[in-house]
Amino acid sequence: MRLFVSDFNSLAYKTFHNYKLVDAPAVTLIYGLAGLGKTTLLDYLYQSKQIKRIPAEYINARTFAQTYAYAAQNNLLFPFRERFRTPKILFMDDLHLLAGKSKTLGELFYTYEYIIEREGKLIISLEADFPALGFLGEGLASRFLGGLVLKIKQPSSPEIERFIEYYLAEKNLNMKREVIKAISDLVCNPGMAVSSINEFVKFSESKGKALTLKCFQEYLRKAQESNLRKLEPLNVIRVTAEVTGTTASELLGFKRTPKIAEARQLAIYAVRLLCHNSYPEIGRSFSRGHGAIIYACRKMEKRMEQDGALKQKLAAIKKFFII
């Protein structure tokens, strides 16, 4: 599929479209919220003609961490380092997934040093509204931020509509203007638009109906009902709030009354138990450090052994998600 370019991503596109190894900074970092096409942009450059002539390696940060752990455990660090330190360009997607992985970050630091010493480059994406790289450690963060830092902005409503039209044309799908408008009113980025369109098309095919506004409204009712039961952190927090007689905003806030503090710790524990999110991921949801998340989980584990009322509340949360 061709790359969709508009004001929100034009600067990153122009940078990648005109990328030249000899002139490029040591590190190029693109960042922005989820669904804005950062991975697509990295893929675009990685697959481009000018990169195909250069030794390059592309990897997701989570896969990098997993591959490093496997190599360290199985005495395979030499081939691991040969793979990631010798290319002229290392592409790394989703840098934020390395938060809390101190050993992997240490390895990444030396990988960076090795590549740069040999006049190589790093091209990295980060899911964030601001390039806060403290999780990398001061040394690596300062080096990455010393390169070229590009933000993928939030697209405007007209841009989202144009993206939907572009995507429909690429997929040879016909939708009336009223349906396109209804979809654009619900989503805030291209990723959400693609997901909504694909799910709507699947729904219409299952019902044997055309892609009309009436069909879309029916799909939306069904989707909203099922989305409330998706096992996701925000849904677990919402249900915990209902079970404990609090509100989601209170659980995500900083009030520390006994009732809210207990409910918040229960929500943190439930997210960890049911969604299997890492401590840093949960910390980002609650705007807290991973140490506070670990403390809340351990405290709830001990209390669950003795507190029948808490056990019942956790059972009620599980029941909502049919666990």
Side-chain angles (χ1 to χ4, degrees), residues 72-271:
Q73 291 168 5
N74 294 277
N75 197 28
L76 295 171
L77 285 175
F78 179 80
F80 172 87
R81 289 166 177 162
E82 182 78 10
R83 174 183 173 186
F84 292 108
R85 296 185 182 186
T86 56
K88 275 293 184 180
I89 305 180
L90 175 61
F91 290 80
M92 182 170 289
D93 196 17
D94 290 335
L95 180 67
H96 56 281
L97 297 178
L98 296 185
K101 300 183 184 299
S102 58
K103 291 184 179 179
T104 303
L105 290 173
E107 179 66 24
L108 180 59
F109 179 87
Y110 289 112
T111 298
Y112 163 85
E113 292 282 301
Y114 201 93
I115 290 173
I116 299 307
E117 281 178 8
R118 286 152 182 77
E119 299 183 348
K121 316 290 182 180
L122 277 77
I123 301 173
I124 301 167
S125 80
L126 170 74
E127 185 179 303
D129 194 35
F130 183 80
L133 300 181
F135 67 90
L136 295 177
E138 185 177 346
L140 200 53
S142 63
R143 285 165 171 79
F144 282 10
L145 291 174
L148 178 61
V149 180
L150 303 169
K151 180 174 184 177
I152 311 297
K153 298 180 290 186
Q154 195 71 20
S156 64
S157 295
E159 285 180 303
I160 291 174
E161 282 195 45
R162 290 199 300 273
F163 173 79
I164 292 172
E165 291 169 351
Y166 147 84
Y167 183 77
L168 293 174
E170 289 286 321
K171 296 296 182 180
N172 293 315
L173 294 170
N174 293 312
M175 287 186 192
K176 291 186 177 180
R177 165 59 52 185
E178 58 187 4
V179 183
I180 293 173
K181 183 67 168 63
I183 295 173
S184 69
D185 286 343
L186 286 173
V187 303
C188 61
N189 60 55
M192 290 177 66
V194 168
S195 179
S196 294
I197 291 168
N198 291 343
E199 289 174 6
F200 172 44
V201 169
K202 190 182 298 183
F203 175 83
S204 68
E205 289 175 348
S206 70
K207 299 292 183 180
K209 296 181 178 180
L211 299 172
T212 62
L213 181 59
K214 183 178 179 180
C215 182
F216 180 75
Q217 290 169 339
E218 182 183 348
Y219 151 76
L220 192 58
R221 286 193 296 272
K222 296 286 187 182
Q224 288 173 335
E225 182 181 333
S226 63
N227 282 341
L228 291 175
R229 293 184 181 273
K230 275 188 178 179
L231 202 48
E232 298 174 347
L234 286 178
N235 283 341
V236 174
I237 293 166
R238 177 181 54 80
V239 174
T240 304
E242 292 174 1
V243 168
T244 57
T246 57
T247 66
S249 61
E250 286 176 329
L251 300 189
L252 294 171
F254 292 90
K255 286 185 179 179
R256 295 189 55 81
T257 65
K259 179 179 179 179
I260 293 174
E262 179 183 276
R264 183 182 295 125
Q265 290 178 346
L266 177 59
I268 290 170
Y269 179 71
V271 170

Side-chain angles (χ1 to χ4, degrees), residues 246-315:
T246 57
T247 66
S249 61
E250 286 176 329
L251 300 189
L252 294 171
F254 292 90
K255 286 185 179 179
R256 295 189 55 81
T257 65
K259 179 179 179 179
I260 293 174
E262 179 183 276
R264 183 182 295 125
Q265 290 178 346
L266 177 59
I268 290 170
Y269 179 71
V271 170
R272 174 70 174 172
L273 182 68
L274 304 182
C275 301
H276 307 292
N277 286 37
S278 68
Y279 294 124
E281 287 171 335
I282 299 171
R284 287 193 289 273
S285 295
F286 285 86
S287 301
R288 285 164 170 80
H290 74 278
I293 302 302
I294 293 172
Y295 171 80
C297 288
R298 288 177 178 171
K299 186 172 182 179
M300 277 291 117
E301 281 178 357
K302 290 181 180 178
R303 290 193 59 188
M304 286 292 168
E305 296 173 1
Q306 302 172 342
D307 195 324
L310 270 179
K311 282 185 179 179
Q312 288 180 352
K313 289 174 182 177
L314 181 61

